Amino acid sequence: MARTASKQQSFNILIVGQAGRLQYEAVLFVASLRAMSPDFDGRIIIAEPQPGPLWPQDPRIHQDSVRTFLENFGAEIVPFHSTHFGHTYAYGNKIEALSVLPEGEPFVFFDTDTLVTGDLMSVPFDFERPSASKRVEGTWPTLELYGPGYTETWKSLYDKFELDFESSLDLSQPDEYWRRYLYFNAGFFYYKCPKLFGDRFTQYATAIRDDAPEALVCQPLHPWLDQIALPLVIHSFGGGRDALPDGYLDGDVTCHYRLLPLLYARESDKVVEVLEEVSAPNKVKKVLKQHDAMKRMIYQGRGQKVRDLFDQDHLPRKEQAIRNTIKRNGFWLR
């Protein structure tokens, strides 16, 4: 669907950059942002975890070429220290990284495995009402035969933090169906103040990890902890599933592809075209080719071979089936 650009208030973008795949994803994110959203006028802040007791290995960006590229494209690499999560729960980086943002300025956090495919300044953010990605499967909670159901599990968390549970429900969905309950993918989220959001996100996530309600006794918290706490944080600030119109993020303007084989398998022709267009310039290519999966998928044509395995109009309903097909054909790279 075509979008009409409208002037949006300025905001900052936060992603996490560190050693390994994420540093190259950060390059692709920034390259796509500059190419597809040239009017973006906020700061691009790349939070970089620093060595410390919670990291057995140095988590910083190791490649000088990556660091130089990001800085040349106007991104700011800002260090932060892990005090609550670190190596044992790396998803916690997105919680602790909020501390590097300027207090009181609107922000949007994106996972690095996101491609910008349109004009971010056209997205009608209401920074007074936070929200997050609804491109999510019912990954949590996992129900046991004789254990608590969805209502009991989620209500125990709302009660723990003295939040109104009933107002979080989507009453158009059946009772005990996962979509009835507020649940997001943490691939993006936003609010008017990173300090308020980050402090509460930290509070809720650590409290769930360290002192979960009895209803969660059989529930896995890893790797879902951030996505368990996130809807509670959003609800506490008056946000929700309807705060952002559909079709912009995870739509015309961004794609949370997660891994390149999945991008080629299931995303639209436009997303593939944007990926190959923004990765083609030599200054981008010479950096991305240092990462084996990107070299093989984008530049050596394996991505197109993955795409040929699927009918994008009739994809398997479950992501695991897509993954299995890619793996059987020897194209699974990350």
Side-chain angles (χ1 to χ4, degrees):
M1 182 185 303
R3 299 288 175 183
T4 301
S6 59
K7 181 64 177 175
Q8 173 62 267
Q9 72 177 99
S10 183
F11 57 90
N12 300 317
I13 287 176
L14 174 68
I15 63 175
V16 174
Q18 64 186 88
R21 185 180 79 244
L22 269 66
Q23 65 186 328
Y24 297 103
E25 290 175 347
V27 167
L28 186 55
F29 176 89
V30 171
S32 67
L33 172 64
R34 291 308 193 198
M36 303 305 297
S37 190
D39 294 330
F40 174 72
D41 59 359
R43 297 167 65 188
I44 307 170
I45 299 177
I46 301 176
E48 182 187 48
Q50 300 298 292
L54 297 183
W55 292 99
Q57 296 178 321
D58 188 343
R60 290 176 294 184
I61 295 171
H62 291 158
Q63 294 291 340
D64 290 340
S65 60
V66 169
R67 191 178 295 272
T68 299
F69 178 94
L70 294 171
E71 291 172 344
N72 286 345
F73 270 61
E76 305 169 47
I77 301 173
V78 182
F80 75 94
H81 292 278
S82 303
T83 58
H84 299 286
F85 301 105
H87 172 74
T88 59
Y89 189 67
Y91 294 105
N93 278 344
K94 67 182 66 178
I95 303 175
E96 299 200 78
L98 291 165
S99 64
V100 309
L101 292 175
E103 184 175 352
E105 295 184 13
F107 75 93
V108 184
F109 168 85
F110 289 104
D111 276 346
T112 52
D113 50 358
T114 300
L115 192 72
V116 180
T117 56
D119 182 11
L120 273 176
M121 301 306 290
S122 73
V123 181
F125 292 110
D126 177 357
F127 287 105
E128 296 289 334
R129 297 189 64 219
S131 194
S133 173
K134 293 187 289 185
R135 190 178 185 184
V136 64
E137 297 182 351
T139 48
W140 194 92
T142 58
L143 302 189
E144 301 292 335
L145 182 59
Y146 299 108
Y150 284 100
T151 296
E152 185 178 350
T153 301
W154 277 115
K155 188 175 186 303
S156 71
L157 288 165
Y158 282 79
D159 290 346
K160 178 178 179 63
F161 299 110
E162 300 181 345
L163 301 173
D164 180 61
F165 173 65
E166 296 297 328
S167 62
S168 74
L169 300 176
D170 180 353
L171 299 180
S172 70
Q173 300 290 342
D175 190 32
E176 291 301 316
Y177 176 54
W178 72 269
R179 288 193 182 276
R180 185 179 178 91
Y181 310 89
L182 200 61
Y183 190 53
F184 298 104
N185 185 295
F188 77 79
F189 52 84
Y190 62 87
Y191 190 49
K192 65 180 180 181
C193 176
K195 178 168 176 49
L196 292 173
F197 199 95
D199 286 353
R200 191 162 298 176
F201 206 171
T202 301
Q203 174 198 349
Y204 285 8
T206 55
I208 294 167
R209 179 193 64 187
D210 300 337
D211 185 25
E214 186 176 347
L216 273 65
V217 66
C218 293
Q219 289 295 333
L221 299 183
H222 193 286
W224 313 117
L225 180 61
D226 61 324
Q227 295 191 175
I228 300 168
L230 182 59
L232 305 170
V233 177
I234 287 173
H235 188 64
S236 75
F237 285 121
R241 58 177 67 81
D242 61 346
L244 182 68
D246 293 337
Y248 290 92
L249 303 190
D250 295 331
D252 291 345
V253 179
T254 64
C255 172
H256 184 203
Y257 60 88
R258 297 184 35 224
L259 293 166
L260 285 177
L262 292 176
L263 184 155
Y264 278 101
R266 66 185 180 184
E267 302 300 346
S268 69
D269 289 344
K270 177 190 173 182
V271 170
V272 175
E273 290 167 5
V274 170
L275 168 67
E276 298 193 342
E277 177 185 327
V278 302
S279 61
N282 284 333
K283 58 189 173 184
V284 183
K285 182 189 300 185
K286 69 180 182 181
V287 178
L288 294 185
K289 285 181 74 173
Q290 296 174 86
H291 183 58
D292 191 58
M294 291 186 175
K295 179 176 71 174
R296 295 178 184 277
M297 280 282 144
I298 301 171
Y299 301 111
Q300 295 182 352
R302 292 198 183 186
Q304 290 295 340
K305 292 180 179 178
V306 169
R307 196 159 184 81
D308 291 343
L309 296 173
F310 299 92
D311 178 351
Q312 279 74 42
D313 294 324
H314 300 89
L315 289 168
R317 200 166 54 87
K318 294 288 188 181
E319 180 182 301
Q320 191 58 52
I322 298 174
R323 289 172 174 252
N324 290 343
T325 298
I326 298 170
K327 290 175 181 177
R328 279 199 308 272
N329 285 272
F331 296 134
W332 187 253
L333 294 166
R334 56 180 304 159

